[in-house]
């Protein structure tokens, strides 16, 4: 670089002869050739770095694509497992509700019904529990009415027997009165 500065200073100082000798000596060409070599080395290094960066970018893109695909597969798998779990929970709860409803349908009103959730299945179980209690209450009322009817029937039957006994006593008394009247009539006459 010193030679270049010297060449420029000779040109500016208007020392044409010294300037020509320096230029014709080939020193400037040698310097330029060295500069060109350095520029070529720098260009090759830049090209090499560019290839490395492109390779790194391709690897990063491949990695991000693989991560996206892996994430998609993982999310799909997790979603599937969650939906299977939810379906099993609903199916199990509906099975329990169906079992209780079938027992009530069969006439077993002694079933203990547990309401374990507040979702739709829990509301269904609560409704079946309320229905079961209402049916138990209704059957209890019908039984009480039946007992009262039986008791009233028994009382009516007892009153009928008493009435019959009283009528028989009156018939017997009437028969005695008639027999006594016949005897009085037969002896007086």
């Amino acid at each position: 670089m010193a030679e270049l500065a010297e060449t420029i200073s000779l040109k500016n100082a208007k020392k044409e002869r010294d300037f020509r000798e320096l230029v014709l000596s080939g020193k400037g060409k040698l310097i330029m050739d060295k500069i060109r070599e350095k520029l070529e080395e720098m260009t090759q290094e830049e090209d090499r770095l560019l290839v490395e960066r492109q390779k790194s970018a391709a690897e990063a893109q491949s990695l991000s694509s693989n991560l996206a695909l892996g994430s998609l597969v993982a999310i799909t798998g997790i979603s599937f497992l969650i939906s299977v779990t939810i379906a099993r929970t609903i199916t199990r709860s509906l099975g329990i509700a169906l079992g209780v409803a079938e027992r009530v349908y069969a006439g077993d009103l002694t079933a203990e019904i547990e309401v374990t959730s507040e979702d739709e299945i829990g509301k269904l179980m609560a409704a079946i529990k309320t229905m079961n209690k209402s049916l138990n209450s209704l059957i209890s009322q019908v039984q009480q009415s039946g007992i009262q009817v039986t008791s009233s029937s028994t009382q009516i039957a007892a009153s009928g027997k008493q009435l019959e006994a009283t009528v028989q006593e009156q018939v017997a008394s009437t028969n005695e009165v008639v027999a006594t009247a016949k005897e009085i009539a037969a002896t007086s006459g």
Side-chain angles (χ1 to χ4, degrees), residues 5-174:
E6 183 183 347
T7 305
I8 292 172
S9 69
L10 287 174
K11 178 71 174 167
N12 288 341
K14 305 230 188 238
K15 296 183 179 178
E16 290 293 323
R17 187 171 157 239
D18 291 338
F19 173 72
R20 273 192 206 156
E21 281 179 19
L22 185 59
V23 169
L24 292 175
S25 71
K27 281 185 180 178
K29 182 178 180 321
L30 289 175
I31 292 171
M32 287 306 290
D33 287 343
K34 284 183 184 177
I35 290 174
R36 284 187 192 108
E37 281 179 26
K38 288 290 182 189
L39 284 174
E40 182 63 28
E41 286 175 16
M42 288 172 59
T43 302
Q44 288 176 356
E45 182 64 19
E46 284 294 320
D47 289 345
R48 185 187 67 76
L49 289 174
L50 180 64
V51 167
E52 280 182 23
R53 288 184 187 127
Q54 287 173 341
K55 184 178 176 182
S56 293
E59 288 174 357
Q61 183 179 7
S62 174
L63 179 62
S64 68
S65 295
N66 289 340
L67 282 175
L69 181 62
S71 297
L72 179 65
V73 168
I75 289 171
T76 302
I78 290 170
S79 298
F80 177 75
L81 289 175
I82 289 172
S83 60
V84 165
T85 301
I86 290 171
R88 283 186 180 171
T89 301
I90 290 172
T91 303
R92 187 176 329 119
S93 297
L94 282 175
I96 292 169
L98 179 63
V100 169
E102 286 175 343
R103 285 171 52 190
V104 170
Y105 170 75
D108 180 8
L109 300 177
T110 62
E112 284 295 321
I113 301 169
E114 291 183 35
V115 178
T116 57
S117 66
E118 293 183 19
D119 59 1
E120 286 75 14
I121 302 297
K123 290 176 184 177
L124 175 64
M125 293 297 283
I128 291 173
K129 184 175 185 175
T130 302
M131 179 186 70
N132 197 20
K133 283 182 181 180
S134 296
L135 287 173
N136 271 328
S137 175
L138 179 64
I139 288 173
S140 177
Q141 289 173 0
V142 168
Q143 284 174 342
Q144 289 298 323
S145 296
I147 290 170
Q148 287 175 354
V149 167
T150 302
S151 175
S152 296
S153 296
T154 304
Q155 288 175 356
I156 290 171
S159 295
K161 286 191 184 223
Q162 275 182 343
L163 185 60
E164 181 184 351
T166 303
V167 167
Q168 284 178 356
E169 283 178 19
Q170 286 179 354
V171 168
S173 294
T174 304

Side-chain angles (χ1 to χ4, degrees), residues 168-188:
Q168 284 178 356
E169 283 178 19
Q170 286 179 354
V171 168
S173 294
T174 304
N175 286 340
E176 269 183 41
V177 168
V178 168
T180 304
K182 282 183 183 180
E183 275 180 30
I184 293 176
T187 51
S188 36

